[in-house]
Amino acid sequence: MFRRHSRLDLWFFSLLVSTLSRSLFAFAALAKNQTSKGFAPVTIETSRHMYEYVATALDWWHADRYCEQRFSQLLFEPQDSEQASFSKLLQSHHIRGSVWLNERDGVLHKPKWRRDHIVPVLVFRDKTDTKYVKVLSDFPALPAVTACAHLQWDTRTQEIATIFSYAVPAFINEFQLRGFVDEEGFVRFALIVHGHHSPYLPVFRADGHWHHFCVTWQQENGTWAIYADGKRRASASGLCAVGPSAPQAIYGQGTFIIGQDQDSLGGTFREKESFSGNITDLHIWQKVLGAEQIEKIRSCWVVEQDLVFGWSSNALEVESTVQQVTAQFLCPGPVEECRVFEVGSSGFSYTSCLQSLPFICRYRKDAYWQLKKAQLESSHSLVSRVNTLAERTVIPENFFTSDIQDMNLSVALGALDVLATVLRGGETPVLESSDLLAVLQLLKQVSDVEVQEGEELEMLEQLGQYYVEVTELILEEQNIETWSSVSQVIRGPMTVVELCNRMVSHLAPLLTAGRTKITIQHGNVGMEVRKLELSRQELSSQAYLVQSPEKGRHDLIEVPTEEVQSLKARGLRRVLVKNMWFGYGSLQRCLSGAGSSAVFQDVAASDGGQKYLSTTVGTAVISSALLSDYQEISTSVRYRLQHRVQDLPDKLVGPICAFWNFSLSPDAGGMWSTAGCSVVTSLPDSTTCFCNHTTNFAVLLQVYEMQRTTKEELTLQTLTFIGCGVSFCALIVTFILFLAVGVPKSERTTVHKNLIFALAAAEALLMFSELAKTNQVVCFMVTACLHLFFMAAFSWMLVEGLLLWSKVVAVNMSEDRRMKFYYVTGWGLPVVIVGVTLATSFNKYVADNHCWLNIQTNVIWAFVGPVLFILAVNTFVLFRVVMVTVSSARRRSKMLTPNSSLENQIGIQIWATAKPILVLLPVLGLTWVCGVLVHLSIIWAYAFIVLNSLQGLYIFLVYAIYNSEVRNAIQRMKDKKKALSFTNCSHPINYLSSPRNTTSWETGKLSPCAAESALSSPVQKDPPVKNITNKGNFGAKIPMGISSIMSPERPAVELTAFKSSVSKQGMLRLFSRRCHPEALQLSSPQWTHEQGRNGGIRE
């Protein structure tokens, strides 16, 4: 009996060892293949790229790393139009078969150490009634559950085996998983919940290899599923669903046993139902995991959210005869299959990522020859000193022929120790191009080091110290030219940031319950990793504060408190925070080159007082990333960086919050982007930014050359404030006059009042907008109101032009319809424009440093575009009005003074041209055209500010002081008051209030009473030309209205801004004659004549 058991034990361990060596330790064979020598890569040249075919077969990850460490990329999928020609090109070089393809979305670019997994394995040699393992964990009630593990099935028996059983006093078979091997060689699983049994269904083949399985169940509808090797094998609903109204959850506080079926709570096992095989990596969650999460778990990831039990030897009560062994898993990659290019058929297929295949590395042509040039011109001084000091080959001398071997922790530590010693010695003050490339190649190897469990963690922290020191030494400012010379090869200097991001992840095993933060800094390079426990009651913001080598200056990046609380609300228990910092030096100088900052040159704007020069990286580069279950979490961050740009005394800098996007322009290594980032506060020496994601951040400074002195800028600001203040007061007075003095209602006065109100509101907001900069919400509201009221002001200027056009050109539209159209245009159009702009560009609406529209984006065109259109329309209207006025003045001059001199006629025409321009400029907004010319000279800037800031005062003078309607209304008020003093007059008030002496302002024609009076007057028979001739003297004390005598079929157009009014003495004489009937014959002709002269369409 003893010998039989010994033979069984020997067979079982032989099976375990052979299976692990075949399935789990393929890595050693791959490494051996990778380091094999003797192959000669085939080089293929095309118009844009160089391709290197490597015949040595490697798995996908090793092939990708091979190309990356040679500063190239694994072959990408050719374009559809190029597939056939590229396949023929490869065949012409005797290349056939399958080759690996790169993944454009980067799904497979995962650090390789995640796939190596060392775990304790429970060995159940054979079926007995004694071997069991109890899980030492308190289980809560489970309305949903997922259980996953790796399993190796014993193929010697076909009896039913219990993988695990969970029992509670109410139900012994509360939750259980059973299986057996059927006649066709498949392992069939059945799930039991509340004693209800699912059917046995095949899940994987009984081949003696390791398989991963997951089972899920939820009380809603009793839905269950079984997964094997990442794929769903069976699923259904109705398993122990008492009913949709009252389903039962799995009871808590039970006993969980691995390897046995419990016939009583925690005991009474039976041999024929026991498990035989090996099991490891059991995890249990109180929720149903999705297919994507199960795939990650199969790849040796741990989903910590809602985890009830995690695999650990300390959480198990192992029966003495159950053996525990430690096994190293080579977990499958995050994607089971990878794409391959079939050279012969020009097609694509999929195969296991762990399969070994040849591959092709792709170089950009210019980068390839630059790499060759650096290799040929190298003196190998640094490489020789490092290898001599290490007494072995640490850095190879040739990038193309050297083998890149896998490193363990001790080898990597020794290599960086020697390299740091040589660089620290300063014997090579300036690195050659080949030296820098060799160092970067070594850093790539170290960043891919395999950190195994059980290794000395002190070595790991020392490795991080050396890594940061070497990075800081190669980023010193004397190496700026060297970085620039190899920029094409390494795809930009941000490559070193990406390498440090890999390295900082290796520091995570150093975090323990007593040490939750690891910080390493050397000079201008620093990195930090911290563990954030979200289960604590008090949560606060997580800040990474960096002390700069310069005294009193520090940078900061933090995750706000509300974001930390949001992570806790999502069910996360702990997260890993990675931070990095790169002080100002070679990295920023290289990133400030034309290629890296060109993206912002197209959107840089100038207001005329400054000339755009360049965009430069003006701060340190700082980064932050949050991870849970080795997966990055999206969250917002806030950072503050000190400005490091010097020697800009006569320059103006504008800060831009940006991050480095590796996916933009991948051939160049990425590009700066501003998406999701905004300036919070900007000071002369620092800028605070907010971004809604995590990555590598900096503050870019747009540099402008000041074309105005500080005194000139102050003068312009003072003029603007004074002018706007005077204009605002004048507009308010004009608006009150229109309302208070009884100006007759008309389309024209209605349009004037709306224009005055909109312009006054806009200028009032403009004067005090600077006070709102400190409050982000108030500044946003002020910007929206400024946008609305300025757009309304210009819209009513457009209405002014349309109204004037309707008086010059006959428009077939009634007055009521016109006014509705005017209101829609004047107020409806601005509301639509502002609303659409806010809806489409809410996060980019406000400028960084002012309460106005953002000129760095297309938002500014929501104002400039409509304004340019309105100015164009009003310019055309003004041109048309001037033509009509000049033509009318010419005909009138010929009729009234046919024998006048040429100089007199020219003077009349010049005045006829100037008058409408002076009258209409303020209401048509044409003074804003000067804004196009402010960049030419400071004189145009002064002219623009004076003309537009005093627009309200101009409107007050032209449309209130010299407006005949307003003057007449005021005069009537005065005369009415004086008329009350005439006691000898019987009905003076009736005379003043009689409509007989007014005109119809709505239509521009005489009222019936006025017309009747005019017809009854004998003087009306005289031609009105005599009166016009008498009043046509342009030297009159009170300017006369601009009258256009047009053809007989068209009424005259009269611009009444400068129209003369009846004098005070004339009005008094009228009152006297009205009181004395005998004087009526003398006064009536004059009043009738005034009515006749005021007739016609008015503007």
Side-chain angles (χ1 to χ4, degrees):
M1 178 68 71
F2 176 80
R3 290 180 180 179
R4 183 171 65 85
H5 282 299
S6 297
R7 286 195 299 272
L8 287 174
D9 292 348
L10 181 61
W11 174 88
F12 193 80
F13 279 110
S14 299
L15 174 65
L16 177 62
V17 172
S18 63
T19 302
L20 288 174
S21 62
R22 290 197 309 270
S23 302
L24 307 179
F25 293 107
F27 177 76
L30 294 174
K32 182 178 180 181
N33 285 336
Q34 186 185 14
T35 58
S36 62
K37 300 181 180 180
F39 66 87
V42 178
T43 303
I44 304 171
E45 182 177 357
T46 63
S47 60
R48 293 189 303 167
H49 296 97
M50 299 289 295
Y51 297 93
E52 182 185 271
Y53 174 75
V54 182
T56 301
L58 300 176
D59 67 22
W60 188 94
W61 287 277
H62 280 85
D64 180 65
R65 193 172 70 178
Y66 179 98
C67 295
E68 181 190 14
Q69 293 186 352
R70 282 171 171 76
F71 306 101
S72 61
Q73 293 176 296
L74 195 62
L75 176 67
F76 281 97
E77 175 185 340
Q79 300 293 332
D80 294 339
S81 59
E82 301 176 353
Q83 290 179 12
S85 59
F86 187 73
S87 180
K88 291 180 180 178
L89 178 64
L90 295 179
Q91 292 182 63
S92 66
H93 289 78
H94 309 289
I95 299 174
R96 287 175 174 78
S98 301
V99 293
W100 289 121
L101 281 178
N102 208 336
E103 296 288 338
R104 292 189 182 274
D105 56 5
V107 172
L108 297 179
H109 289 276
K110 305 294 181 183
K112 182 178 172 297
W113 65 270
R114 292 178 183 169
R115 299 184 295 112
D116 294 332
H117 195 40
I118 300 177
V119 289
V121 177
L122 300 178
V123 179
F124 296 86
R125 292 196 190 96
D126 44 34
K127 299 173 71 69
T128 68
D129 58 359
T130 58
K131 291 182 172 59
Y132 75 92
V133 175
K134 182 179 179 181
V135 175
L136 303 178
S137 180
D138 293 331
F139 287 87
L142 301 173
V145 64
T146 299
C148 298
H150 282 89
L151 188 72
Q152 190 178 30
W153 198 271
D154 185 358
T155 58
R156 296 171 299 168
T157 176
Q158 294 184 336
E159 294 180 343
I160 292 176
T162 303
I163 295 95
F164 63 77
S165 63
Y166 177 73
V168 295
F171 274 108
I172 297 301
N173 294 327
E174 177 70 357
F175 179 48
Q176 191 175 124
L177 181 64
R178 294 185 171 197
F180 72 94
V181 179
D182 63 12
E183 295 178 354
E184 297 179 356
F186 284 93
V187 176
R188 291 175 174 263
F189 277 181
L191 188 64
I192 301 174
V193 179
H194 295 317
H196 295 263
H197 205 297
S198 74
Y200 283 96
L201 298 172
V203 289
F204 57 82
R205 185 171 291 278
D207 51 10
H209 293 168
W210 284 93
H211 294 276
H212 182 263
F213 75 87
C214 287
V215 293
T216 67
W217 177 87
Q218 59 182 348
Q219 70 181 62
E220 184 179 357
N221 298 325
T223 304
W224 60 275
I226 300 177
Y227 295 81
D229 297 325
K231 296 181 179 179
R232 182 183 296 182
R233 306 296 184 180
S235 63
S237 59
L239 182 59
C240 191
V242 176
S245 60
Q248 293 181 349
I250 295 175
Y251 293 112
Q253 305 304 317
T255 302
F256 196 101
I257 299 294
I258 302 174
Q260 293 286 356
D261 176 23
Q262 305 175 59
D263 287 340
S264 63
L265 189 62
T268 316
F269 308 136
R270 290 190 291 179
E271 178 180 340
K272 66 178 183 178
E273 295 180 344
S274 64
F275 172 70
S276 177
N278 306 311
I279 188 170
T280 186
D281 234 11
L282 174 67
H283 292 79
I284 303 171
W285 295 265
Q286 55 180 348
K287 69 174 183 177
V288 173
L289 299 182
E292 183 179 353
Q293 292 174 307
I294 289 176
E295 175 64 24
K296 292 177 181 178
I297 295 168
R298 189 176 75 93
S299 304
C300 305
W301 291 32
V302 178
V303 177
E304 294 188 353
Q305 187 174 356
D306 296 319
L307 182 66
V308 175
F309 170 73
W311 188 249
S312 173
S313 300
N314 299 327
L316 300 175
E317 179 185 305
V318 183
E319 193 266 334
S320 59
T321 59
V322 177
Q323 291 194 355
Q324 297 184 70
V325 297
T326 300
Q328 180 182 6
F329 278 84
L330 183 63
C331 296
V335 178
E336 185 177 14
E337 295 181 333
C338 298
R339 295 192 74 184
V340 296
F341 179 60
E342 304 292 345
V343 177
S345 62
S346 302
F348 305 96
S349 61
Y350 288 87
T351 188
S352 172
C353 298
L354 294 174
Q355 184 176 341
S356 296
L357 292 176
F359 54 96
I360 297 175
C361 295
R362 188 190 73 172
Y363 298 84
R364 283 195 306 169
K365 199 168 184 177
D366 53 350
Y368 180 85
W369 292 116
Q370 193 175 7
L371 189 62
K372 280 284 192 181
K373 180 182 177 181
Q375 180 66 31
L376 293 174
E377 295 177 355
S378 173
S379 63
H380 304 295
S381 58
L382 176 69
V383 174
S384 300
R385 282 197 300 275
V386 170
N387 293 336
T388 301
L389 183 61
E391 298 181 350
R392 61 183 181 87
T393 303
V394 174
I395 303 177
E397 293 185 354
N398 193 308
F399 308 113
F400 295 97
T401 60
S402 61
D403 294 321
I404 300 189
Q405 303 181 3
D406 294 315
M407 281 189 173
N408 57 34
L409 190 57
S410 61
V411 173
L413 182 62
L416 285 188
D417 185 10
V418 174
L419 178 58
T421 301
V422 173
L423 292 174
R424 199 186 305 122
E427 297 181 15
T428 308
V430 179
L431 294 177
E432 297 180 357
S433 298
S434 59
D435 294 336
L436 182 57
L437 293 174
V439 173
L440 289 175
Q441 190 181 60
L442 179 61
L443 292 178
K444 287 184 178 183
Q445 286 183 269
V446 175
S447 66
D448 290 327
V449 70
E450 305 290 340
V451 181
Q452 307 294 351
E453 293 185 13
E455 292 186 297
E456 297 182 10
L457 297 182
E458 292 79 7
M459 295 174 58
L460 180 58
E461 186 169 2
Q462 187 62 45
L463 180 69
Q465 295 279 1
Y466 286 143
Y467 201 97
V468 170
E469 182 180 1
V470 169
T471 303
E472 198 270 339
L473 289 171
I474 63 176
L475 285 176
E476 290 181 346
E477 293 199 23
Q478 64 264 25
N479 297 319
I480 292 176
E481 293 185 3
T482 308
W483 279 100
S484 299
S485 66
V486 299
S487 180
Q488 295 291 332
V489 176
I490 63 176
R491 294 194 295 277
M494 286 296 285
T495 300
V496 70
V497 177
E498 194 174 15
L499 293 177
C500 289
N501 186 46
R502 295 187 197 176
M503 184 62 210
V504 72
S505 300
H506 292 321
L507 303 178
L510 295 173
L511 300 175
T512 60
R515 191 182 186 189
T516 60
K517 182 176 70 173
I518 305 295
T519 302
I520 299 175
Q521 182 172 344
H522 193 283
N524 276 329
V525 178
M527 60 176 60
E528 179 192 82
V529 59
R530 66 173 66 190
K531 181 171 61 175
L532 178 59
E533 295 289 345
L534 301 178
S535 57
R536 294 179 296 138
Q537 295 294 328
E538 297 294 331
L539 295 176
S540 60
S541 63
Q542 297 299 310
Y544 172 45
L545 184 66
V546 184
Q547 287 294 137
S548 171
E550 306 174 29
K551 273 192 173 183
R553 299 172 67 90
H554 59 269
D555 297 325
L556 170 73
I557 188 168
E558 66 174 348
V559 181
T561 305
E562 55 270 19
E563 290 293 331
V564 178
Q565 294 172 345
S566 175
L567 295 175
K568 182 179 181 180
R570 289 162 58 179
L572 299 175
R573 297 195 302 176
R574 67 180 63 89
V575 294
L576 189 71
V577 185
K578 299 190 303 180
N579 297 311
M580 295 187 300
W581 177 81
F582 297 86
Y584 193 82
S586 299
L587 178 64
Q588 285 78 2
R589 300 288 178 85
C590 294
L591 290 174
S592 297
S596 300
S597 59
V599 64
F600 289 107
Q601 292 185 13
D602 294 336
V603 298
S606 172
D607 66 354
Q610 55 204 35
K611 178 183 177 182
Y612 173 76
L613 295 179
S614 64
T615 298
T616 181
V617 182
T619 65
V621 174
I622 198 166
S623 70
S624 183
L626 275 71
L627 295 93
S628 176
D629 306 326
Y630 302 105
Q631 186 176 15
E632 192 164 327
I633 306 171
S634 178
T635 185
S636 301
V637 295
R638 186 184 297 110
Y639 63 93
R640 183 186 69 242
L641 297 176
Q642 300 288 328
H643 299 170
R644 267 29 182 232
V645 175
Q646 305 294 332
D647 302 327
L648 297 174
D650 298 327
K651 305 295 187 296
L652 177 69
V653 293
I656 299 176
C657 298
F659 71 97
W660 188 263
N661 192 334
F662 287 96
S663 61
L664 295 178
S665 185
D667 286 341
M671 188 176 292
W672 289 112
S673 174
T674 59
C677 296
S678 60
V679 175
V680 178
T681 57
S682 179
L683 300 175
D685 61 344
S686 66
T687 296
T688 303
C689 301
F690 176 84
C691 290
N692 59 10
H693 52 80
T694 56
T695 183
N696 306 296
F697 304 102
V699 174
L700 307 186
L701 299 179
Q702 285 187 328
V703 183
Y704 299 90
E705 181 181 3
M706 295 302 297
Q707 294 181 327
R708 304 179 192 137
T709 64
T710 305
K711 184 177 180 180
E712 289 174 339
E713 288 290 341
L714 181 60
T715 304
L716 291 174
Q717 292 177 5
T718 304
L719 285 176
T720 301
F721 189 82
I722 295 174
C724 286
V726 173
S727 181
F728 174 75
C729 295
L731 289 170
I732 293 299
V733 172
T734 307
F735 190 78
I736 293 174
L737 283 175
F738 272 103
L739 294 178
V741 302
V743 176
K745 292 183 179 180
S746 66
E747 287 180 320
R748 182 178 61 258
T749 56
T750 301
V751 172
H752 285 348
K753 285 187 286 187
N754 282 277
L755 171 60
I756 291 169
F757 175 78
L759 198 56
E763 292 193 350
L765 285 171
L766 182 62
M767 284 190 295
F768 299 101
S769 61
E770 290 296 309
L771 301 178
K773 289 195 305 183
T774 55
N775 190 308
Q776 191 172 4
V777 177
V778 176
C779 185
F780 188 94
M781 296 175 62
V782 168
T783 301
C785 292
L786 275 173
H787 190 191
L788 175 64
F789 284 113
F790 267 118
M791 278 308 309
F794 276 97
S795 297
W796 282 106
M797 292 177 195
L798 175 63
V799 171
E800 293 274 5
L802 296 177
L803 178 63
L804 183 59
W805 181 264
S806 70
K807 303 302 181 181
V808 176
V809 180
V811 178
N812 187 18
M813 184 183 293
S814 65
E815 182 182 339
D816 292 338
R817 292 178 60 191
R818 279 205 307 267
M819 284 310 302
K820 291 179 181 179
F821 173 72
Y822 292 159
Y823 273 111
V824 170
T825 303
W827 291 111
L829 185 61
V831 170
V832 171
I833 292 175
V834 174
V836 171
T837 307
L838 286 173
T840 56
S841 306
F842 188 83
N843 294 326
K844 303 177 182 178
Y845 188 70
V846 184
D848 292 334
N849 300 317
H850 302 284
C851 296
W852 181 235
L853 301 179
N854 192 347
I855 64 173
Q856 303 293 340
T857 62
N858 293 326
V859 172
I860 190 62
W861 286 102
F863 176 74
V864 174
V867 167
L868 292 177
F869 172 77
I870 292 170
L871 293 180
V873 172
N874 285 352
T875 302
F876 178 75
V877 171
L878 180 62
F879 178 74
R880 177 65 172 161
V881 170
V882 170
M883 288 182 60
V884 173
T885 305
V886 172
S887 177
S888 177
R890 185 185 301 114
R891 286 196 300 270
R892 184 180 61 186
S893 176
K894 289 180 179 180
M895 292 174 60
L896 301 180
T897 56
N899 299 323
S900 63
S901 63
L902 179 63
E903 291 79 3
N904 189 24
Q905 292 181 7
I906 294 175
I908 292 174
Q909 292 184 17
I910 292 175
W911 182 240
T913 304
K915 274 188 178 181
I917 293 177
L918 293 174
V919 172
L920 297 176
L921 274 180
V923 293
L924 296 183
L926 299 182
T927 54
W928 285 74
V929 177
C930 296
V932 182
L933 308 174
V934 294
H935 67 285
L936 298 178
S937 171
I938 187 66
I939 298 176
W940 285 108
Y942 284 120
F944 175 75
I945 290 177
V946 170
L947 288 176
N948 290 283
S949 62
L950 298 179
Q951 185 179 11
L953 180 61
Y954 197 30
I955 290 176
F956 170 72
L957 294 175
V958 175
Y959 290 92
I961 300 299
Y962 291 104
N963 187 345
S964 64
E965 295 178 359
V966 176
R967 291 163 63 90
N968 288 337
I970 296 174
Q971 189 64 49
R972 283 196 300 271
M973 293 179 64
K974 292 180 179 179
D975 292 340
K976 179 179 177 181
K977 185 176 180 181
K978 290 182 179 181
L980 295 176
S981 64
F982 288 93
T983 57
N984 58 343
C985 181
S986 58
H987 301 289
I989 298 179
N990 291 338
Y991 173 81
L992 291 173
S993 61
S994 174
R996 189 163 52 89
N997 299 312
T998 61
T999 59
S1000 176
W1001 295 100
E1002 299 298 328
T1003 62
K1005 297 180 180 180
L1006 292 175
S1007 65
C1009 296
E1012 182 181 350
S1013 174
L1015 290 174
S1016 64
S1017 174
V1019 186
Q1020 186 65 28
K1021 297 177 182 179
D1022 297 332
V1025 178
K1026 180 179 179 181
N1027 183 270
I1028 297 176
T1029 304
N1030 295 334
K1031 295 294 183 179
N1033 183 8
F1034 293 98
K1037 294 180 180 179
I1038 301 177
M1040 194 192 78
I1042 301 173
S1043 302
S1044 298
I1045 302 177
M1046 304 174 63
S1047 57
E1049 66 272 14
R1050 179 170 297 175
V1053 177
E1054 195 167 342
L1055 303 173
T1056 61
F1058 288 101
K1059 185 176 181 303
S1060 60
S1061 60
V1062 179
S1063 66
K1064 186 194 314 182
Q1065 291 80 4
M1067 289 297 295
L1068 291 176
R1069 286 198 300 270
L1070 288 176
F1071 284 131
S1072 301
R1073 289 165 185 170
R1074 176 66 181 86
C1075 295
H1076 300 279
E1078 63 274 11
L1080 182 61
Q1081 294 299 323
L1082 297 175
S1083 62
S1084 179
Q1086 183 179 359
W1087 182 254
T1088 305
H1089 181 71
E1090 285 294 323
Q1091 283 183 327
R1093 197 171 68 81
N1094 290 337
I1097 301 174
R1098 295 172 179 258
E1099 175 56 24

